[in-house]
Every structure is written in C-alpha cells, then in structure tokens.
Amino acid sequence: MKIATLAAMLLASLTSLAHAEEVGEVSTTFKLLSPNDKVIVEAFDDPGVQGVACYVSRAKTGGYQGALGLAKDPSRFSVACRQVGPIRFSQPLPPQEQVFKESASFVFKHVRVVRMVDAKRNVLTYLTYSDKLVDGSPDNAITAVAVLDQKIPLKK
C-alpha cells in the first residue's frame, strides 16, 4: 500500500513539470562528418501560472557522441520568462517549486528551472541551473515576471 502511494505521488510530481518545445537552434561549431555543436532555444508554459511562458537557451554538443546521445553538454543556460496573456492561478503557489527539468547528458545532468515567489514585490522569479550526480553547477541565470493586476496566491 505504501509503495503504491509513493509511486502515485512520484508520478504526479513528474507530470506537473512543463515540457519544452524547440523554438530554434543555431550552429556554433562546424563539424564535417558529424552533427555541429549548437545553441538550442526551447519554450515552455509555466504549469502553475497561465499566461507565463519561459524560454531557455542551452548549448548542445555535436560530434559523434552528441549524435548518439552520449555527449556531456556544457552547464551554461539562460532563461527569460514573459507574460504572454492574462495571468491566472488555478491554485495557490508554493513559495518555491521546480517547473521544468530536462536531461543535459546521457544520465547524470539536468537543466532545471525553479519558480520562486517574491511575495513582498508580487513577482514570479525563475532560476535556471544544472545539477550533476556529485555536485551542482554554479552556472545559473535568473528572470522575473511582475504580477501587476492581482496578488499572487500563496500556499500556507
């Protein structure tokens, strides 16, 4: 019974993360016989805040290892979140919540975006960073979206 409950909770937490759509890419290094190194731009909608979209740029390693999905991508990311429609909250937000996670290497590294609520200023703040199996990367980026027409509802 406990294992089934834990599995259901894990599945629910995984499905609440946003899924990115690729917006575009640019090649940064030419490779004659294998895929080029690239910078990829992806977009996702904040799963807890209707009307906010985030754009993440990240480096993607090419070459033969990149083509096979075995390359270790650099831990350099950028994020920009913007209001793209009326902001609506379906439920109160936790003070901090992971809203996006995507693999950045074969097994051990991920790009993460965490939403933090700045209640004093009524602002949604988004931080992107990477994690690794042993330690995290200090490379990070931050952006913010001010909510002007309503108070951000917070979970107690």
Side-chain angles (χ1 to χ4, degrees):
M1 179 82 169
K2 290 182 182 181
I3 293 174
T5 304
L6 182 61
M9 288 173 47
L10 178 62
L11 182 61
S13 71
L14 291 176
T15 58
S16 68
L17 291 179
H19 298 283
E21 304 164 19
E22 188 171 316
V23 174
E25 63 183 42
V26 294
S27 292
T28 58
T29 305
F30 175 74
K31 299 194 183 276
L32 184 59
L33 299 175
S34 61
N36 295 342
D37 295 338
K38 303 172 187 174
V39 174
I40 295 175
V41 176
E42 298 170 310
F44 68 90
D45 297 319
D46 184 324
V49 183
Q50 185 179 352
V52 174
C54 295
Y55 297 85
V56 176
S57 68
R58 62 186 181 92
K60 185 158 181 72
T61 304
Y64 295 113
Q65 287 186 332
L68 296 173
L70 302 174
K72 182 177 166 185
D73 293 334
S75 296
R76 291 184 300 273
F77 315 105
S78 179
V79 65
C81 297
R82 300 292 184 263
Q83 181 176 351
V84 295
I87 293 179
R88 293 192 185 103
F89 302 95
S90 58
Q91 59 188 6
L93 300 177
Q96 181 172 315
E97 179 179 23
Q98 180 174 284
V99 294
F100 177 77
K101 177 182 172 185
E102 184 172 284
S103 178
S105 74
F106 181 58
V107 176
F108 302 113
K109 186 168 54 171
H110 297 90
V111 178
R112 296 179 185 266
V113 177
V114 174
R115 178 194 342 101
M116 300 174 196
V117 177
D118 179 352
K120 179 179 178 182
R121 292 165 191 84
N122 209 46
V123 170
L124 301 169
T125 305
Y126 297 84
L127 169 72
T128 185
Y129 67 99
S130 73
D131 65 357
K132 298 178 188 174
L133 184 61
V134 177
D135 59 356
S137 169
D139 291 334
N140 61 80
I142 193 167
T143 188
V145 176
V147 179
L148 302 175
D149 58 346
Q150 62 185 303
K151 189 78 174 152
I152 298 170
L154 281 173
K155 280 186 181 176
K156 303 275 182 194

